[in-house]
Amino acid sequence: MKKVLLACILLFFVLPLAAEDPPRFPSATVYMQGVIEPRDLRISIYNEAGEELSGEDAILSFEFPNLEEWELTQSLYFRFSSHLAEATVGKLIFSITDLEMDALNRLRTTLELESESFFTSVENGNTFNTRFPAGAQDDVPIGKLTIRIRKRAADVFSAGNYSGSFSINYTEGN
């Protein structure tokens, strides 16, 4: 009888343990501290010699020949590197003024854009419209910008220093 009573008492304590949910491991919640940011888009400019230009040394200089007719050109090459989480579109918009010494001495200056990538199209003759894909991209061509100055035989200009301005504006989106 003692053995049956002992067995009943043991079953009374053991059965509820077996009927309960299995023991749980402590739960943990992980919070990220700080922010993981992709490297932003980087656009690089190179001269005809393949040297990367910075804002300080991105000056174009032309030396005019002593001829009746001439044409001078200089090209700049644009490339990008990025590591974007989502693809985006951006536009590089260029503007240039004529080179002038004074109101009477003005050399007509034009710019021409040529796409060097299937990511880039040329709009309005002065804009690179570029799709920047998601993921890692390194040194991808955007395009070539050529600045052209032409003097015809009928044009008469005074000797001296001529100056003008060239600007690049970047906008994101369509």
Side-chain angles (χ1 to χ4, degrees):
M1 180 86 167
K2 284 184 181 182
K3 287 184 183 181
V4 174
L5 185 60
L6 184 58
C8 285
I9 292 174
L10 283 176
L11 284 175
F12 180 76
F13 286 112
V14 173
L15 282 178
L17 290 177
E20 287 182 15
D21 290 338
R24 295 183 184 174
F25 294 101
S27 64
T29 304
V30 178
Y31 295 97
M32 184 173 72
Q33 290 185 327
V35 177
I36 297 173
E37 292 182 21
R39 286 176 283 157
D40 288 337
L41 176 67
R42 180 177 185 271
I43 297 175
S44 305
I45 305 170
Y46 296 87
N47 63 15
E48 292 173 336
E51 302 164 327
E52 187 172 1
L53 302 176
S54 68
E56 292 79 38
D57 56 17
I59 296 172
L60 299 176
S61 178
F62 295 89
E63 191 168 316
F64 305 134
N66 190 13
L67 301 171
E68 283 190 40
E69 270 189 25
W70 48 262
E71 180 178 283
L72 298 175
T73 62
Q74 279 194 39
S75 296
L76 298 174
Y77 299 87
F78 294 82
R79 303 176 79 76
F80 76 90
S81 297
S82 66
H83 192 277
L84 302 171
E86 294 181 8
T88 188
V89 174
K91 293 182 179 186
L92 285 170
I93 304 166
F94 303 94
S95 63
I96 191 166
T97 64
D98 289 340
L99 296 178
E100 62 181 48
M101 184 170 71
D102 55 33
L104 299 174
N105 292 283
R106 176 177 287 177
L107 292 164
R108 186 164 186 275
T109 307
T110 60
L111 60 88
E112 300 164 8
L113 299 180
E114 182 181 327
S115 171
E116 293 188 328
S117 166
F118 62 89
F119 292 125
T120 302
S121 62
V122 176
E123 293 181 356
N124 303 323
N126 70 341
T127 302
F128 282 135
N129 186 357
T130 302
R131 182 177 56 85
F132 303 106
Q137 308 296 321
D138 189 35
D139 211 28
V140 178
I142 293 175
K144 172 181 158 182
L145 171 132
T146 301
I147 297 173
R148 185 176 310 277
I149 304 169
R150 180 180 299 160
K151 180 192 174 296
R152 292 171 287 200
D155 297 334
V156 178
F157 297 106
S158 299
N161 291 321
Y162 288 76
S163 62
S165 67
F166 172 72
S167 67
I168 304 169
N169 185 28
Y170 174 78
T171 60
E172 196 169 280
N174 293 332

